[in-house]
Amino acid sequence: MAQGYLVFFKCPSQTINTNTARFVIETGVYTYAGSCGVSCKKRILRHLEQPARKRWHVDYLQCETLYAVVVPFSERELAKKLAEVCAYVPHFGSTDDPESPSHLFRCNLAEVVRYIGLTV
């Protein structure tokens, strides 16, 4: 079974400059869709602890981590569903998923739960 996760952040306005891209983040609550397989705990802890070595786009966020949720959907399924209904930061975290416009979405937990079909 595919296993993905969602991490929720409370972000202030900021401009992120990575080695290859520039992203503008507006103030708000954001959801990041990722995949974790067997290393789910380790992957999520990376987001909670804000790593010193910046490897992925999400590592550059200067935001407060609110919580994380592991879900029975792949990262690509999550990104596809959320891109249809939430505002997103173009190309953020999706360089290995060209079919998705982003993996960082501006929407809160209640919206996400409803949009990905975890409630009736």
Side-chain angles (χ1 to χ4, degrees):
M1 175 199 304
Q3 194 170 27
Y5 67 89
L6 300 164
V7 179
F8 294 83
F9 298 97
K10 182 177 179 184
C11 299
S13 294
Q14 60 193 280
T15 299
I16 297 171
N17 290 301
T18 69
N19 294 332
T20 58
R22 180 176 184 266
F23 304 101
V24 176
I25 308 293
E26 297 177 16
T27 300
V29 174
Y30 288 80
T31 305
Y32 177 77
S35 63
C36 55
V38 296
S39 62
C40 215
K41 181 178 177 182
K42 188 175 181 181
R43 183 69 60 95
I44 290 171
L45 282 175
R46 180 179 179 85
H47 299 304
L48 298 176
E49 296 171 352
Q50 300 225 343
R53 181 173 174 256
K54 301 197 183 328
R55 182 173 179 181
W56 293 292
H57 291 156
V58 70
D59 294 340
Y60 288 85
L61 284 177
Q62 296 298 310
C63 304
E64 175 187 357
T65 306
L66 300 173
Y67 36 81
V69 181
V70 177
V71 293
F73 302 104
S74 72
E75 174 182 25
R76 288 182 177 181
E77 290 174 292
L78 292 168
K80 182 179 178 183
K81 288 182 180 190
L82 294 177
E84 294 173 359
V85 291
C86 298
Y88 56 84
V89 179
H91 310 294
F92 192 100
S94 61
T95 51
D96 62 342
D97 182 9
E99 294 179 19
S100 177
S102 183
H103 281 215
L104 184 64
F105 306 91
R106 190 170 182 204
C107 47
N108 64 39
L109 178 62
E111 293 172 312
V112 170
V113 167
R114 184 173 63 246
Y115 297 149
I116 65 173
L118 290 177
T119 61
V120 185

